[in-house]
Amino acid sequence: MFRKHAGEAPAGYTAWEASGLLWLEEAEESGGARVVRVHDVQTDHLDLERLSPVPPTNFQADAFGAALAATHAAGAPAFGSPPARWTTHGFLGPSIRPLPLPLQETSTWGEFYGEQRVLHTYRLGRNQGTFDTDGDRTLFEAVAARLATGEHDTDDAPARLHGDLWAGNVMWTRSGGVLVDPAAHGGHREGDLAMLMLFRGPHVARIVAAYDEAAPLADGWQERVPLHQLHPVMLHAVLFGGGYVEQARSIARRYV
């Protein structure tokens, strides 16, 4: 067993993570990706299954891509819906400084992403001086306005997202890839794939190709990858500053 301490995370952080893990685990029955098992939840820690990491193989990467498609296909009530067993906002970011993650059910992905991800994160940055120019406000509000028109929406139904699927949150074991540390919610399935491609890990190209074969992605998905990466880059700008600030602006300019 592995004990994950919450550190200085706010009240509810461990229950939030556990609810996401259990919600993702439900998808395993229909072929979804394996999820680390939750043994116990306390206010200051989680007791989780201990995993023994090994380097992934090509076969495991292919299998994980197909399984991730099945996880997404398990669905969610709406864009922005929280995982089962959770009813309020969530958290995203390191446990030493998790940031609030709005979770309000929304009828379209563009409206959800523009307001609850782009503008919400811009406001977090503005309040601490990260995004502090009139140009920043104009830029991110313009992106959100275009998102709200539905221009970038697809016919995809709300997916059961991991929500923080950078390479470090896929633990490779002898049995294949295992999901850990989610910020699970209902969203666009392209979001998890874009996050996986943002901080590239082993066999990302194979994972995405296997996913696309199992559940073909909508036309133009490659052009939307940076748009889905905008929120995590903005979040990194808020948390860490540095080059992430200009990277966020650069991505946003592509979608004004």
Side-chain angles (χ1 to χ4, degrees):
M1 191 163 58
F2 170 74
R3 176 158 291 181
K4 180 179 178 180
H5 292 278
E8 299 179 2
Y13 183 83
T14 55
W16 151 251
E17 181 172 331
S19 68
L21 290 169
L22 294 171
W23 190 52
L24 294 171
E25 184 184 332
E26 292 173 1
E28 289 187 32
E29 294 183 5
S30 54
R34 196 164 97 67
V35 181
V36 66
R37 295 296 185 259
V38 178
H39 292 304
D40 189 32
V41 185
Q42 299 295 328
T43 56
D44 63 344
H45 71 266
L46 284 171
D47 285 337
L48 303 171
E49 167 192 9
R50 180 175 290 277
L51 302 173
S52 298
V54 299
T57 66
N58 289 344
F59 175 79
Q60 288 176 330
D62 293 343
F64 178 78
L68 182 62
T71 296
H72 289 166
F79 297 108
S81 63
R85 309 170 188 86
W86 193 257
T87 58
T88 184
H89 69 76
F91 303 97
L92 182 59
S95 59
I96 59 172
R97 191 192 169 191
L99 298 176
L101 186 72
L103 294 172
Q104 184 174 345
E105 294 190 357
T106 311
S107 58
T108 68
W109 174 76
E111 183 182 359
F112 157 71
Y113 191 70
E115 176 58 39
Q116 298 185 51
R117 295 297 178 263
V118 175
L119 289 183
H120 167 73
T121 311
Y122 158 70
R123 293 177 189 121
L124 292 176
R126 177 197 62 196
N127 291 344
Q128 68 179 31
T130 299
F131 300 122
D132 59 357
T133 68
D134 290 340
D136 286 336
R137 177 178 178 178
T138 300
L139 175 62
F140 293 117
E141 286 185 348
V143 173
R146 287 193 68 177
L147 282 161
T149 68
E151 178 180 349
H152 301 293
D153 287 356
T154 67
D155 292 332
D156 292 285
R160 188 167 303 201
L161 292 192
H162 177 281
D164 190 18
L165 197 60
W166 70 287
N169 284 341
V170 182
M171 294 287 291
W172 296 99
T173 71
R174 292 187 182 278
S175 63
V178 182
L179 298 176
V180 302
D181 295 350
H185 64 278
H188 199 299
R189 63 193 184 121
E190 292 175 5
D192 270 354
L193 297 176
M195 185 67 171
L196 203 56
M197 288 184 274
L198 179 59
F199 302 108
R200 298 181 67 87
H203 302 302
V204 170
R206 292 192 69 101
I207 292 169
V208 174
Y211 184 109
D212 190 34
E213 182 176 355
L217 294 160
D219 291 345
W221 69 267
Q222 294 96 330
E223 287 71 37
R224 290 186 295 273
V225 167
L227 181 60
H228 288 282
Q229 292 174 339
L230 177 58
H231 171 242
V233 172
M234 292 179 71
L235 189 81
H236 276 69
V238 171
L239 288 168
F240 307 115
Y244 291 116
V245 179
E246 187 52 42
Q247 185 181 1
R249 292 171 178 149
S250 178
I251 294 173
R253 292 186 191 107
R254 298 179 57 172
Y255 298 97
V256 171

